[in-house]
Amino acid sequence: MSTKLLLCDCAVSQPLDSDTIGSACEVECSKVHTALCTRELGAASAAMQQGDIIIACGQEQEVFQALAEELGVNAPGFVDLRDRAGWSDEGAGAAPKMAALAAEALLPQPVTPSVDVYSEGTCLIIGPGDITFALAEKLSGTLAVTVLVTDEVAPISRAFDVVRGRIKSLNGALGGFTLRLDAFQQLEPGGRGAFTWTAARDKAQSACDIVLDLTGESPLVQAPTKREGYLRADPKDPLSVERLAFEAVQLVGTFEKPLYVRMEETLCAHSRAEQVACTNCLDICPTGAIKPAGEHVEIDPMICAGCGECAAVCPSTAITYEDPPISALLSRMHILARTYRRAEGVAPRLLIHDAHGAEMIRLAARFGRGLPADVIPLELGVISGFGHAEMLAALAHGFARVDVLLAPTTERDALDRELALAQAIAGPNALGLVDEVDPDALSDTLYAQEVPQPLADPVLPLGNRRQIARLAAQALHPQAEAPLPLPENAPYGAVAVNTDACTLCLSCVSLCPSGALIDNPDKPQLNFQQDACLQCGLCKGICPENAITLVPQLDLSDAALSQQVLNEEEPFACVECGALFGVKSTVERIMEKLSGTHPMFATSDKARMIQMCDNCRVNAQFQQQDNPFQSAPKPRVVTTEDYFSKRKDH
């Protein structure tokens, strides 16, 4: 059974063209209601009982959800047409935009993988005794409380445990915190008078589910507001302490932890042979969830807060974002642009935003000018991971311009870097960040924008993020002949080799994590495939002759997909068998430096061995008198004649 779209003009406050919306997004539309959440609630009830529906109302979701629960039917879906399109200075021309938003709401969305987190309520409270003891008294009936007191105040109650110590490290997240403490002391509960303490000891370890930090000092973990289970408050603010207690008791039970990112270790270009190359994700992760693990990195899913910055800056696509995956995001952008054009829209703009941006849009619509009719909002859980590949893909889908609406808490490091890269590829006028905290200023900024022409022939870029970026760039530059110059640290580029300095030792080939540098087993030759190069810099760092330079650029021609010769030389012919081996210039240079001067090569025979291939050199070694591989002579077999000879001698 197909899904039906229920329309309501909200007390005739917005124009709705049901025919345009229905035909463009290929969905059955109801008649345009006026008070679907009040006087016409019966129509919503009847539609719910007939099948799946989507209600074009974002404000009264709780009313319709309660109705569905009362009827015992599936909860309806929702799409907000009013705040995002209808309440606008250009609302009369917003039918293509409404159709696009309705079509997006019909798309099924993938479920983010998750893992269960168990918290039994083991709670550690850290801080001065006069604050922590009172809080522990309140929580001890609900949580298993231990207080790590940071001053000399002694407890009186034994309703909770009390210890002293100095925290050396705190790791983990909700349900799995681990601590290391020095100068650790436990309470001695026996005896008269004040409690005493055990002798201090170092390297104590402990674990808990929840940490309440009332020290008022620097946080014990990176990005404390993003660390689940780590609650922090100013001990001098009683209201904040009370709020902390309320939050703590909610953290008992089983919780779903989304697995925001997926790691493919074999693609990671972090290091090879203990030579560090790419550290993009390590440098940008705000929570410290990413750590080196040999030749790749590893991500602690319990600490990861899902900002997506690591996936945006990963040059090899070893890290991919899963909330949602890029394929689902591309599907949403595709359906928005396609439906907008089918409804006779011309040049749509895309506005990427999060929950904060959604509230800004609602306020701008209710009290101001709202969004322009050609600005289509696309809400994401987080926007900090919206990278250059996604920006370019949106333009390739046919959007005339793409803007990202920042929130006060948005992590901007990756966005700033990715925007610069995307603008280097697509041009500065088609992409931007909107940093406005006032709804009216947001509207004014969008209305004042100059809208460039969209792509005449939109394409559907698919694949991983590198492939998507390349396909989108080719669509934006169909006639490009020269490579596009890119900013430093871009993940695309060439390798320039100083052939005068390069000795073709091929150290770069053996360590290249992406296989962009390739040797030729038949002759001394260094080949390069530009499309595979990550610009990680490992080849540059390992080159003993400093002969390699990175050239950030994006070559959109087919030549970038095939191997190119960077350096080659004539091989040397073995003086014994004639087999080709090594590099002729290198062998001659070694002969010139060592022959007749170095003690080991003082004779012509020794020097001659330099000019032999591996097989001939080994054979020559065995033929020499001072053969280092030669063992002692094999003992002669004793015979009967030997025994007779010994008897005659005696």
Side-chain angles (χ1 to χ4, degrees):
M1 185 179 295
S2 61
T3 301
K4 185 176 182 179
L5 179 64
L6 268 63
L7 299 175
C8 180
D9 62 15
C10 198
V12 200
S13 62
Q14 64 171 335
L16 285 173
D17 187 342
S18 60
D19 292 337
T20 298
I21 295 173
S23 60
C25 61
E26 298 179 339
V27 65
E28 179 187 358
C29 293
S30 71
K31 73 171 188 176
V32 178
H33 297 276
T34 297
L36 193 61
C37 61
T38 53
R39 297 191 309 272
E40 298 175 278
L41 192 60
S45 175
M48 287 182 189
Q49 297 178 73
Q50 293 174 1
D52 293 335
I53 62 170
I54 292 179
I55 300 176
C57 177
Q59 177 179 287
E60 301 298 327
Q61 292 188 24
E62 292 185 1
V63 171
F64 296 112
Q65 287 172 341
L67 176 60
E69 185 176 349
E70 181 181 333
L71 296 173
V73 298
N74 293 334
F78 298 94
V79 57
D80 183 4
L81 301 183
R82 184 194 71 184
D83 294 339
R84 298 192 292 169
W87 283 357
S88 165
D89 280 4
E90 300 175 345
K97 176 179 173 180
M98 291 183 174
L101 294 173
E104 183 208 5
L106 293 168
L107 272 180
Q109 294 301 312
V111 177
T112 302
S114 62
V115 64
D116 286 341
V117 174
Y118 303 97
S119 172
E120 297 178 348
T122 304
C123 176
L124 177 67
I125 306 177
I126 311 169
D130 56 348
I131 302 295
T132 56
F133 294 158
L135 181 60
E137 285 280 3
K138 296 178 181 178
L139 295 178
S140 60
T142 306
L143 306 176
V145 178
T146 298
V147 174
L148 178 59
V149 65
T150 57
D151 56 17
E152 299 299 323
V153 177
I156 297 178
S157 172
R158 290 292 295 146
F160 48 86
D161 291 330
V162 181
V163 296
R164 286 178 180 172
R166 183 173 63 255
I167 295 179
K168 295 291 291 183
S169 65
L170 174 64
N171 298 306
L174 176 66
F177 284 103
T178 58
L179 301 95
R180 292 188 61 191
L181 303 102
D182 282 350
F184 178 71
Q185 295 177 281
Q186 292 177 282
L187 201 67
E188 291 278 15
R192 185 181 180 187
F195 294 130
T196 59
W197 301 89
T198 61
R201 61 186 180 91
D202 293 340
K203 298 182 179 180
Q205 297 184 10
S206 186
C208 63
D209 298 320
I210 309 163
V211 175
L212 305 186
D213 184 356
L214 296 175
T215 61
E217 300 174 355
S218 299
L220 300 170
V221 297
Q222 281 184 249
T225 59
K226 298 178 181 293
R227 186 68 62 95
E228 295 174 347
Y230 178 80
L231 307 178
R232 184 165 170 261
D234 182 356
K236 298 178 181 179
D237 184 351
L239 184 59
S240 296
V241 175
E242 289 296 325
R243 187 181 299 115
L244 205 68
F246 176 78
E247 293 176 7
V249 297
Q250 311 301 315
L251 298 179
V252 180
T254 302
F255 304 89
E256 277 194 357
K257 170 68 176 180
L259 300 176
Y260 295 108
V261 296
R262 181 167 57 87
M263 178 73 195
E264 179 55 58
E265 296 175 355
T266 58
L267 297 178
C268 182
H270 171 58
S271 72
R272 294 294 185 275
E274 299 184 357
Q275 299 294 319
V276 176
C278 176
T279 60
N280 288 354
C281 59
L282 294 167
D283 296 337
I284 210 164
C285 179
T287 63
I290 307 177
K291 302 292 183 183
E295 294 190 345
H296 57 83
V297 299
E298 61 182 10
I299 303 174
D300 188 337
M302 297 299 104
I303 297 178
C304 175
C307 70
E309 289 189 290
C310 55
V313 300
C314 179
S316 66
T317 70
I319 302 176
T320 53
Y321 195 64
E322 298 291 304
D323 187 32
I326 191 170
S327 58
L329 179 56
L330 292 182
S331 296
R332 293 174 66 185
M333 293 193 293
H334 167 61
I335 199 69
L336 287 171
R338 186 190 70 175
T339 307
Y340 187 88
R341 292 192 298 270
R342 290 179 61 176
E344 299 184 356
V346 178
R349 288 180 280 169
L350 186 65
L351 181 64
I352 304 296
H353 64 88
D354 57 9
H356 176 271
E359 183 62 21
M360 289 263 290
I361 292 170
R362 285 190 287 269
L363 292 173
R366 178 170 288 277
F367 300 106
R369 305 171 66 187
L371 297 181
D374 62 342
V375 174
I376 302 178
L378 175 59
E379 183 173 353
L380 301 177
V382 292
I383 58 176
S384 49
F386 193 80
H388 72 277
E390 292 84 352
M391 296 177 189
L392 296 174
L395 297 177
H397 279 303
F399 288 98
R401 182 180 172 89
V402 180
D403 287 288
V404 180
L405 176 58
L406 302 175
T409 57
T410 300
E411 302 283 352
R412 290 194 54 166
D413 292 343
L415 273 175
D416 290 336
R417 175 173 167 175
E418 293 295 288
L419 177 65
L421 177 56
Q423 288 178 333
I425 297 173
N429 298 325
L431 300 160
L433 302 179
V434 179
D435 192 4
E436 297 288 353
V437 294
D438 179 74
D440 290 333
L442 169 64
S443 297
D444 294 342
T445 297
L446 295 176
Y447 275 102
Q449 277 182 350
E450 292 186 9
V451 183
Q453 287 297 316
L455 198 63
D457 297 312
V459 299
L460 305 178
L462 301 173
N464 61 38
R465 298 182 76 253
R466 289 182 66 88
Q467 295 166 337
I468 290 168
R470 179 178 178 81
L471 292 172
Q474 286 177 325
L476 296 171
H477 300 279
Q479 306 299 325
E481 296 181 359
L484 304 176
L486 299 180
E488 189 177 356
N489 297 321
Y492 314 101
V495 168
V497 174
N498 182 349
T499 55
D500 293 333
C502 177
T503 61
L504 285 172
C505 69
L506 301 181
S507 297
C508 54
V509 172
S510 63
L511 294 185
C512 180
S514 65
L517 291 167
I518 312 142
D519 66 347
N520 187 334
D522 298 325
K523 56 182 177 180
Q525 192 177 73
L526 176 61
N527 298 308
F528 176 68
Q529 184 174 328
Q530 187 169 162
D531 176 61
C533 181
L534 308 176
Q535 295 283 287
C536 66
L538 190 55
C539 58
K540 179 181 178 181
I542 200 63
C543 179
E545 310 297 338
N546 295 322
I548 293 179
T549 304
L550 301 181
V551 184
Q553 63 180 33
L554 183 58
D555 188 348
L556 301 176
S557 69
D558 292 340
L561 306 177
S562 58
Q563 296 183 22
Q564 302 170 348
V565 178
L566 296 183
N567 191 20
E568 63 179 338
E569 289 196 37
E570 182 182 351
F572 189 85
C574 176
V575 294
E576 287 289 330
C577 67
L580 300 179
F581 76 98
V583 181
K584 184 177 180 181
S585 64
T586 301
V587 174
E588 291 176 346
R589 187 161 56 250
I590 294 174
M591 289 290 296
E592 180 182 350
K593 289 186 176 182
L594 297 181
S595 182
T597 59
H598 193 283
M600 286 187 62
F601 301 93
T603 66
S604 59
D605 289 341
K606 294 288 188 182
R608 183 179 173 81
M609 292 182 64
I610 299 175
Q611 300 171 292
M612 296 181 188
C613 66
D614 292 343
N615 292 334
C616 293
R617 190 177 304 119
V618 172
N619 290 333
Q621 286 277 16
F622 274 104
Q623 299 301 323
Q624 291 179 352
Q625 293 296 324
D626 58 348
N627 175 14
F629 306 107
Q630 187 174 12
S631 60
K634 186 176 181 181
R636 189 174 65 87
V637 178
V638 178
T639 66
T640 304
E641 293 296 330
D642 294 326
Y643 285 105
F644 282 121
S645 299
K646 289 182 179 180
R647 293 183 65 182
K648 289 178 181 180
D649 292 340
H650 291 289

